Amino acid sequence: MSIKYATKALSSDTWPDFARLVEANNGVWGGCWCMWYHGKECADEPSASKRKAKECLVREGRAHASLVFHGEDCVGWCQFGSPLELPRNHNERAYLATDPMLPDWRITCFFSGKSHRRNGVATVALGGAIRQIRTLGGGRVEGYPEDIEGRKASPAFLFNGALSTFEGAGFERDRKIGKHKWVVTLTV
């Protein structure tokens, strides 16, 4: 049985759908609200403060994501944005050691609700993000996925996505920045 998914952009209109999913999942990773990549420390503020900050960014058009819907329910997302919008990434020391040319866009994190994991939500979300980036003018896009081929990886390490998902969408390996972490690129 194939599940039908659709994507929508994170916006003021879809904020309530996004917020419902995050709240149903303990603020995601203990209340982060995907603010860490925006330059906000998840551990330093209460979840309610991060929720308010994220909503403010969304309403100002300074937070982007491809939301995945199953019917009326938001079941996952892929966050993306410019390096100005999302200045942080994991493995930053290794990333900066390569003297990188910053991309036009970064794809920083994915999330799938518990009942929709392992059903292709990340693939759908990534496709939606690529389409939105194209609509926003395109450019060079980077992702920072985990290579899980031939090994079991904890879902806790897959918040940046799986390398195979990115490669399936046409991204190419650029360079390693961790034992299993890659920088991948695509020009849209």
Side-chain angles (χ1 to χ4, degrees):
M1 179 177 100
S2 177
I3 298 175
K4 288 253 185 200
Y5 294 118
T7 62
K8 296 179 186 177
L10 176 60
S11 68
S12 295
D13 291 340
T14 58
W15 169 259
D17 304 305
F18 173 80
R20 257 191 307 282
L21 178 60
V22 175
E23 288 167 349
N25 288 277
N26 190 32
V28 178
W29 296 291
C32 182
W33 282 84
C34 286
M35 287 298 294
W36 188 85
Y37 297 100
H38 288 284
K40 306 289 184 195
E41 284 292 342
C42 288
D44 292 347
E45 300 175 30
S47 183
S49 295
K50 288 181 284 235
R51 181 194 196 283
K52 184 177 179 179
K54 184 72 167 195
E55 184 175 8
C56 182
L57 290 173
V58 169
R59 297 202 183 281
E60 293 172 354
R62 296 188 302 131
H64 295 86
S66 170
L67 304 183
V68 178
F69 285 80
H70 180 237
E72 296 295 314
D73 297 324
C74 181
V75 299
W77 70 78
C78 169
Q79 178 172 259
F80 67 93
S82 72
L84 287 175
E85 184 179 307
L86 302 168
R88 298 174 84 181
N89 65 37
H90 292 279
N91 301 76
E92 191 162 6
R93 185 176 303 153
Y95 178 83
L96 293 174
T98 63
D99 195 24
M101 180 180 84
L102 291 179
D104 299 298
W105 301 94
R106 287 182 161 160
I107 294 177
T108 58
C109 65
F110 292 80
F111 181 78
S112 299
K114 290 177 187 168
S115 63
H116 287 271
R117 292 185 184 146
R118 299 190 186 274
N119 287 316
V121 171
T123 300
V124 172
L126 180 58
I130 292 167
R131 286 188 299 279
Q132 287 181 46
I133 288 168
R134 185 175 291 118
T135 299
L136 293 166
R140 193 167 68 83
V141 183
E142 278 185 355
Y144 314 99
E146 185 84 7
D147 184 2
I148 59 172
E149 188 173 327
R151 68 185 184 91
K152 279 196 149 207
S154 165
F157 290 109
L158 295 178
F159 53 87
N160 290 132
L163 179 60
S164 59
T165 302
F166 279 87
E167 289 181 328
F171 283 78
E172 294 183 0
R173 297 178 194 205
D174 186 59
R175 62 198 181 279
K176 267 186 141 175
I177 55 170
K179 184 175 181 181
H180 301 286
K181 183 78 69 182
W182 283 86
V183 174
V184 295
T185 62
L186 175 71
T187 300
V188 177

